[in-house]
Amino acid sequence: MTVGVVGVGLIGGSLAKAYKASGHTVFGYDADESILGFAQLSGAIDGILDDGTIKKCEMIFIAVNPGDAVAYLEKSAHSVARGALVMDCCGVKRHVCERCFPLAEKYGFTFVGGHPMAGSHRSGFKNSRADLFRGAYMIIVPPVYDEPALFGRIEEILKPAGFGHLTFTTAETHDKTIAFSSQMAHVVSNAFIKSPMARGHKGFSAGSYKDLTRVARLDAKMWSELCIANRDFLIGELDVFIESVTRYRDALAAGDINKTAELFGEGSRIKEELDDR
């Protein structure tokens, strides 16, 4: 199989390495020519993905920010081989799928929304690795839901990446869920680390601090784009969180130990219930 990868950072670079390790031919493109050159020298890609080589690709991954992903496909759609499968790897799906599904229909290829649920706070090609997705979840937003053959084709094509489970859903369900499970976690972590105490906690912190602040270190431009694109669902989650935190604050301000214990107990029970599923 011949595979194209647009954006050879952490996600795209890891996909390139995974498919190369499985014996496939991989062409890559990145706006940063120095990174692209390094990817080629390191053996992660066989050559440059351009108007000529893109025609050879049966599978194309677009692993860049949402706006850049749409712009790339709008520019290159006419060169994509008819019948090829194109998948983005962005963290939001409505914006990307709304723009890319019509392009695929117009030019005769298949576009599928994708979101690999794996990554690291350390970005860039230098941190990419062939086993990044091994056992991870992959969220898929297909253009139609009544073609079992398409689902089977997607599963077969994604095997070299090593995903442990594929979740097929709609763009709206993806964005609503990811606002809670991913974007909220990054907002809370990033906001939490802004406490003045963050610079004086050394020697006073353990696992809970590390767990809560792990994703505070992030790509500010990328996460801003993702959160703005999904702001309706994310604001809804923030409103729920603010209301909940306010109840804790009110109980503490009142010195109400029973109410405070009730709130802690409620959260603990929910976490236990979710862990047992």
Side-chain angles (χ1 to χ4, degrees):
M1 178 167 57
T2 301
V3 178
V5 178
V6 180
V8 288
L10 175 67
I11 300 300
S14 295
L15 286 166
K17 289 177 179 179
Y19 280 81
K20 274 293 292 178
S22 296
H24 301 287
T25 300
V26 180
F27 293 106
Y29 168 80
D30 197 280
D32 189 328
E33 292 186 3
S34 63
I35 294 175
L36 189 60
F38 185 70
Q40 192 167 8
L41 285 172
S42 69
I45 61 175
D46 295 287
I48 307 302
L49 182 69
D50 55 26
D51 286 343
T53 55
I54 197 172
K55 294 179 172 67
K56 303 176 182 179
C57 295
E58 300 149 72
M59 176 69 203
I60 301 169
F61 291 103
I62 306 180
V64 293
N65 293 354
D68 293 335
V70 171
Y72 175 86
L73 197 57
E74 287 178 338
K75 181 184 71 174
S76 305
H78 68 282
S79 298
V80 176
R82 293 186 68 85
L85 184 65
V86 179
M87 180 182 294
D88 80 290
C89 298
C90 301
V92 291
K93 296 272 73 76
R94 286 176 296 170
H95 170 72
V96 176
C97 290
E98 285 169 3
R99 301 280 291 277
C100 294
F101 283 150
L103 285 172
E105 186 174 353
K106 178 179 178 180
Y107 290 101
F109 59 88
T110 300
F111 178 83
V112 174
H115 186 184
M117 302 306 294
S120 168
H121 63 283
R122 299 186 183 279
S123 61
F125 178 79
K126 64 181 179 180
N127 294 303
S128 63
R129 62 181 199 271
D131 65 350
L132 180 67
F133 308 108
R134 189 171 298 162
Y137 281 83
M138 176 61 158
I139 303 174
I140 304 292
V141 177
V144 293
Y145 295 86
D146 57 354
E147 289 187 13
L150 173 60
F151 285 34
R153 181 186 177 200
I154 293 169
E155 290 175 357
E156 187 64 29
I157 284 180
L158 289 179
K159 279 183 179 178
F163 292 106
H165 183 78
L166 304 185
T167 300
F168 290 86
T169 188
T170 65
E172 182 162 351
T173 297
H174 168 277
D175 287 1
K176 185 175 183 178
T177 307
I178 220 71
F180 167 74
S181 67
S182 179
Q183 292 171 349
M184 264 294 293
H186 285 77
V187 170
V188 171
S189 181
N190 194 265
F192 177 80
I193 202 69
K194 293 177 182 177
S195 167
M197 291 303 299
R199 287 174 169 76
H201 76 278
K202 190 173 183 180
F204 292 83
S205 59
S208 56
Y209 170 83
K210 292 178 181 178
D211 289 344
L212 186 54
T213 60
R214 183 181 67 82
V215 294
R217 183 177 176 181
L218 45 70
D219 181 331
K221 182 178 183 299
M222 180 189 77
W223 280 98
S224 295
E225 184 175 342
L226 292 173
C227 290
I228 291 295
N230 205 33
R231 62 187 180 275
D232 51 348
F233 287 136
L234 182 54
I235 288 171
E237 289 298 331
L238 278 168
D239 288 343
V240 171
F241 182 74
I242 291 167
E243 182 181 350
S244 182
V245 169
T246 300
R247 288 199 290 269
Y248 286 85
R249 189 193 185 286
D250 291 345
L252 292 168
D256 191 336
I257 191 170
N258 292 327
K259 183 62 177 178
T260 302
E262 178 187 329
L263 291 169
F264 276 132
E266 180 184 32
S268 181
R269 286 191 299 275
I270 292 172
K271 174 61 175 170
E272 183 178 1
E273 175 189 333
L274 294 173
D275 286 349
D276 289 342
R277 284 185 178 178

